[in-house]
Amino acid sequence: MEMHAEFTVRLAWHGERVTSVVLENGLPAHEAALARPIGPVLVIPWEESVPLDKAKLLAKALFPPPVRRILAERTSDLGPGRYLRLRLRLPDVEEAGPFDLGALRWESVRVPSALASRAAWTAWAVSLELPPDGGTPLGRHPWFTLVRDVVPRRPSSPSVAAAPGLVAVADATAVHGAITVRDGRTTTVPEPAPGALRDADRRQVESAVRDSRLTVRAVDSPATAEAIRRTLDGGAQVFYFGGHHIAGGLVVGDAPGGRGAAWLDVDVLAGWLRDGGVGLAVLMACDSAGPSVGSSAGPSVGSMHGAPDNTPGSSPDRVSEKPGGSAAERLVRAGVPHVVAVQGWVSHGQAAEFAGRFFHSLVGGFDIDLALREGTDALEGAGAVPVLYARHDSVRPAVGLLPTIGTARLPPVAHRVPVDDDTAPPDERHRIQLDVRWCLAERPVRDVLADPGADDLPSVLTGAEWILLRARAAKGLPHEERRHWYVCDVRGGRLPETEADLRGAVSPAYTALPAEDHRGVGLVLRCPADEVLGAGFPGALDRLHGFGWDIRVVVLQVYGEHPADVRKAAGHLARKLGEAEYLVRHEEGEGGAATVPAGRTGQGRAASLLLAADRDDDLDRWLRAAGGAVPVPSEFGPLDRSTAFADSVVLGMVRTACRGGAAFEEWLDETSGAVRTAVVVLERPDPPLGGPDLELPEVAVALDRAGALVTVDLADLDPTGRWPGSWALLARRRLTTGIAEWLYGLDEGQRRALGVARASDRFDLALEDQLTAIREALAPPLRLPWADD
């Protein structure tokens, strides 16, 4: 995930008032005057909803007008993959007033939604006025992540090196009985209800990290204090605890294999975590980040992780802590870099679901705050919210050495390749942009993609969906949900057999589609190139469409270590599925002759040109290195001198300003009609390029490959989308805000051909002819490299 900017909202106590300071990239950008006092009216139990008036009071207290103006200015730079990290600086324990700032529910502060206009953000900055849709709470907004910022009392100084990739998991959900807490008081942990989930957290964590470089080391369940200590003695990167929390301590087993309860002070646990080099502690225990304020209500006893599923339970006794002493905050102050904990009540099932989604996101390379946002979806409707506490000096809340598998590294560019010859070089006439191909899909699409790098495609495509969504809002069209993209790993050559299996396998977390006004689902199936797919794979793939997900696009992403093997496996899979083509992605500079030694002549020079011409980028490097010394057609054999090869050479000479001379004219005589037409257009002194030049898609592609349209805006060249060549260019260009707004400005019939408008109930023959021309231009028939025009 790319972070465009990071702001820190700091709160520091001065008597009973709060000073807000905003930092940009670590440098002071604003110091506000003293904000309004924080009083008991703003301390709201997590099991209660936050009224709008109190959410507005929180906004006034935490975001004074100068801070809001800065946020409003920066939001124009935010969007897919660009977010704002807000860090709430908590005071030292000695400076804390009567109320715990960490317990403030600033997640409930409402700001304009991601679709709001610049004017709406300005109105919010001036007067906290929200648009008619009511805005979005900070805790659910896609542009913001929230961190409770803590200055530790001591540095993290592990006694042993953290074990790379090791996750220590301790489960104590089954223990119950009487325990004695720090101040000597005794309370009782109720027995779990019959049928309550046990050890589900561990299973979810193990499933999430399977096939990654993370390894789970489970403490014998139910976990005892001694077993936890022994496990952490060997070092770990991450510690996960599932169970109960009472009065600043965790409820653990009193003896191996028993169900009796004992109390583990988090100050003791902090030392074990610090000595073991743990970079992230996750406490899925109710109120483990809960209020430690001076009322009679402290952390709950009976209403903890461990209560029956979906039932908060009762709290026969509540034990208050000293101010500033919540379990999560104390761990960070003691030197643990990051702690995820719970404010409110969470059931066994909810905690386990959170664990699976959170760790799956960590494995995918998400920072902790972004993984937390993904996991929080599991607690929708619950009286609890997972929150993140982090050391103030952790500029980026990430766990070092965790694998960043599949992060997007390459632009979404691929080439269409016929299955009839899976060794044929990529043809630049058939270069496409994947975000356009898959996000602008009217009819169900199934593509096989050879992708050695195994990029995180859903993140790229979700970003494109947000571009479409915001363009639709800018044009004043009715709201329509974006297309939801999921990824599912195909393990053992088998697909999920039921809807429940598929729901459990996808990432990001499954979200049910609304009843209407949505763009359906896109599904990326990751297939290792070295795995053999079963004979029933095509039928299992067809069955996915019967699960009721409205799947519009299925991408079979074949990946592996060796590009040649990946491509061979992708071609085999495409043939098995009855597809006429598949897609190939390339690493930069892969597979071509980039430069030519200065002294090379004769047959060697001709052979290197033939190799470089497979890709326009490679050919450009070849021509520049050769200094214009281009072999003439007669130096090549008849089988090597295809029309497609001649087209590439001529267009490359135009791009690199080598046009002219005898060699250029000889090559031009062997090109296709489309390339000859494009050269005539480019030699025309006046007028400049216009819409009629895009009448033929193949001419438009030739002009694009010649570099004549790099700076040309489709909206200026063809405002009404009249020319088929415009659609051929669209398929080759990455989806941008400008292109999206152009698309949503076209008539409804044209948008229908792009999958961004609903089909009409009426049949219009003239319109159908127009839409057929658009579809053919977007995906023209493949022409083999050796075929003459």
Side-chain angles (χ1 to χ4, degrees):
M1 278 288 180
E2 175 188 3
M3 185 175 64
H4 176 75
E6 178 181 334
F7 296 161
T8 302
V9 179
R10 286 186 173 183
L11 301 185
W13 278 100
H14 293 277
E16 291 208 1
R17 292 181 176 270
V18 175
T19 300
S20 297
V21 181
V22 175
L23 304 183
E24 181 179 357
N25 296 329
L27 301 176
H30 167 73
E31 292 195 12
L34 292 179
R36 62 181 295 128
I38 296 292
V41 69
L42 294 183
V43 181
I44 305 165
W46 281 90
E47 62 270 22
E48 297 178 10
S49 60
V50 179
L52 290 178
D53 59 339
K54 291 194 176 182
K56 193 169 185 178
L57 287 176
L58 273 172
K60 289 182 178 179
L62 300 181
F63 300 96
V67 175
R68 297 199 299 271
R69 283 198 295 272
I70 292 174
L71 296 183
E73 290 170 2
R74 298 302 190 273
T75 51
S76 60
D77 297 325
L78 303 179
R82 295 170 176 256
Y83 63 94
L84 202 64
R85 180 175 288 145
L86 300 174
R87 302 182 67 140
L88 180 70
R89 170 75 177 275
L90 303 184
D92 293 336
V93 176
E94 293 76 14
E95 299 174 351
F99 303 107
D100 182 3
L101 286 183
L104 290 180
R105 294 179 58 176
W106 66 323
E107 285 84 354
S108 64
V109 171
R110 301 188 78 86
V111 298
S113 71
L115 299 178
S117 65
R118 186 70 178 268
W121 278 98
T122 301
W124 175 81
V126 172
S127 63
L128 289 174
E129 178 185 347
L130 291 169
D133 64 5
T136 304
L138 271 176
R140 305 294 299 177
H141 203 291
W143 293 353
F144 300 96
T145 66
L146 309 178
V147 182
R148 284 159 171 79
D149 208 6
V150 178
V151 176
R153 291 191 297 269
R154 58 178 296 173
S156 178
S157 53
S159 299
V160 298
L166 183 63
V167 182
V169 177
D171 174 82
T173 55
V175 300
H176 55 276
I179 60 171
T180 302
V181 299
R182 180 192 294 112
D183 64 0
R185 296 181 61 185
T186 300
T187 188
T188 301
V189 179
E191 183 175 0
L197 297 174
R198 299 182 183 184
D199 206 21
D201 308 51
R202 176 188 58 78
R203 292 193 296 271
Q204 286 280 12
V205 175
E206 288 178 334
S207 175
V209 305
R210 187 181 300 134
D211 297 333
S212 77
R213 288 180 290 170
L214 290 180
T215 302
V216 169
R217 178 182 294 169
V219 179
D220 290 341
S221 182
T224 64
E226 177 59 21
I228 292 173
R229 183 194 65 77
R230 287 198 307 269
T231 300
L232 295 175
D233 272 349
Q237 275 190 281
V238 182
F239 172 73
Y240 179 91
F241 176 82
H244 310 285
H245 164 261
I246 296 176
L250 304 181
V251 180
V252 296
D254 63 352
R259 292 290 183 265
W263 188 77
L264 172 60
D265 194 327
V266 293
D267 292 334
V268 174
L269 176 64
W272 298 346
L273 296 173
R274 187 179 60 247
D275 292 344
V278 171
L280 167 64
V282 182
L283 307 181
M284 269 294 101
C286 293
D287 282 336
S288 49
S292 55
V293 297
S295 70
S296 60
S300 85
V301 175
S303 56
M304 300 168 283
H305 176 12
D309 279 16
N310 304 317
T311 304
S314 60
S315 180
D317 186 20
R318 309 193 87 166
V319 183
S320 63
E321 308 173 46
K322 66 179 181 179
S326 70
E329 186 175 337
R330 298 218 310 270
L331 287 178
V332 178
R333 292 201 187 281
V336 180
H338 307 98
V339 177
V340 169
V342 176
Q343 292 200 345
W345 296 336
V346 59
S347 71
H348 285 318
Q350 292 165 339
E353 183 71 14
F354 168 85
R357 299 185 186 193
F358 176 77
F359 278 93
H360 200 126
S361 298
L362 280 184
V363 166
F366 282 52
D367 285 351
I368 298 171
D369 52 340
L370 293 173
L372 179 68
R373 191 168 63 187
E374 296 294 331
T376 301
D377 289 340
L379 303 185
E380 185 71 31
V385 174
V387 299
L388 172 62
Y389 285 76
R391 291 174 57 108
H392 172 62
D393 55 4
S394 63
V395 176
R396 178 181 172 214
V399 180
L401 303 180
L402 281 181
T404 54
I405 295 174
T407 53
R409 299 177 295 107
L410 302 176
V413 178
H415 291 81
R416 300 165 57 208
V417 176
V419 297
D420 296 332
D421 188 351
D422 55 13
T423 62
D427 190 328
E428 289 291 85
R429 293 173 294 180
H430 308 309
R431 176 163 49 87
I432 59 170
Q433 288 286 340
L434 298 178
D435 51 0
V436 169
R437 182 179 177 94
W438 293 331
C439 292
L440 302 179
E442 174 199 16
R443 298 168 178 172
V445 172
R446 177 185 292 177
D447 273 332
V448 178
L449 173 68
D451 186 15
D455 267 7
D456 178 12
L457 295 178
S459 292
V460 174
L461 298 169
T462 298
E465 290 293 336
W466 278 107
I467 289 174
L468 290 171
L469 201 60
R470 294 172 71 177
R472 187 179 180 88
K475 290 295 183 179
L477 295 171
H479 176 72
E480 183 179 53
E481 286 288 333
R482 64 178 176 83
R483 180 164 297 160
H484 289 262
W485 283 93
Y486 300 107
V487 60
C488 172
D489 285 305
V490 179
R491 294 171 177 149
R494 297 173 60 87
L495 288 170
E497 295 182 356
T498 66
E499 193 275 338
D501 291 340
L502 180 60
R503 184 185 300 187
V506 299
S507 172
Y510 169 77
T511 301
L513 291 173
E516 55 186 16
D517 298 329
H518 61 78
R519 300 188 62 239
V521 164
L523 184 61
V524 177
L525 301 174
R526 288 167 42 88
C527 306
D530 56 358
E531 283 195 5
V532 178
L533 302 179
F537 188 85
L541 188 59
D542 292 336
R543 283 196 298 273
L544 295 180
H545 293 275
F547 291 164
W549 280 28
D550 192 10
I551 297 176
R552 309 282 179 90
V553 182
V554 174
V555 180
L556 293 110
Q557 183 186 28
V558 182
Y559 65 96
E561 184 176 355
H562 304 292
D565 293 341
V566 171
R567 181 168 173 179
K568 182 177 180 180
H572 173 74
L573 177 58
R575 283 191 293 272
K576 189 171 186 176
L577 297 175
E579 303 292 335
E581 65 179 60
Y582 65 103
L583 310 178
V584 178
R585 294 183 81 189
H586 294 279
E587 300 281 355
E588 184 66 27
E590 172 198 320
T595 59
V596 180
R600 178 172 290 184
T601 59
Q603 190 62 35
R605 185 169 59 122
S608 64
L609 174 61
L610 185 64
L611 179 62
D614 285 345
R615 290 207 302 174
D616 287 349
D617 289 344
D618 287 340
L619 180 59
D620 289 353
R621 286 191 287 270
W622 192 100
L623 291 169
R624 292 189 183 101
V630 179
V632 294
S634 59
E635 296 184 44
F636 296 84
L639 296 180
D640 292 332
R641 214 165 66 221
S642 68
T643 302
F645 176 43
D647 286 352
S648 293
V649 172
V650 166
L651 295 175
M653 295 177 75
V654 172
R655 285 194 306 272
T656 56
C658 296
R659 180 171 55 182
F664 180 80
E665 295 300 330
E666 288 189 43
W667 280 112
L668 184 61
D669 287 341
E670 304 211 0
T671 59
S672 65
V675 169
R676 288 195 292 272
T677 300
V679 170
V680 170
V681 169
L682 294 175
E683 290 176 343
R684 186 179 64 203
D686 289 311
L689 282 170
D693 297 320
L694 305 183
E695 182 176 5
L696 298 176
E698 54 269 27
V699 173
V701 170
L703 290 170
D704 186 47
R705 293 181 62 193
L709 303 176
V710 173
T711 60
V712 175
D713 192 332
L714 281 175
D716 295 333
L717 195 60
D718 187 7
T720 61
R722 172 184 176 186
W723 306 104
S726 300
W727 309 111
L729 294 177
L730 174 64
R732 299 170 63 86
R733 295 195 172 190
R734 189 165 190 176
L735 194 60
T736 64
T737 300
I739 287 178
E741 291 185 356
W742 172 64
L743 294 176
Y744 277 115
L746 301 177
D747 65 58
E748 188 173 9
Q750 292 169 315
R751 287 188 282 116
R752 186 183 127 204
L754 299 165
V756 291
R758 294 178 178 175
S760 172
D761 294 332
R762 298 173 54 192
F763 182 80
D764 185 326
L765 182 59
L767 175 60
E768 288 300 322
D769 288 342
Q770 180 189 13
L771 299 188
T772 298
I774 291 175
R775 295 178 187 121
E776 290 179 351
L778 284 167
L782 289 174
R783 298 194 299 274
L784 299 178
W786 56 86
D788 291 337
D789 291 84

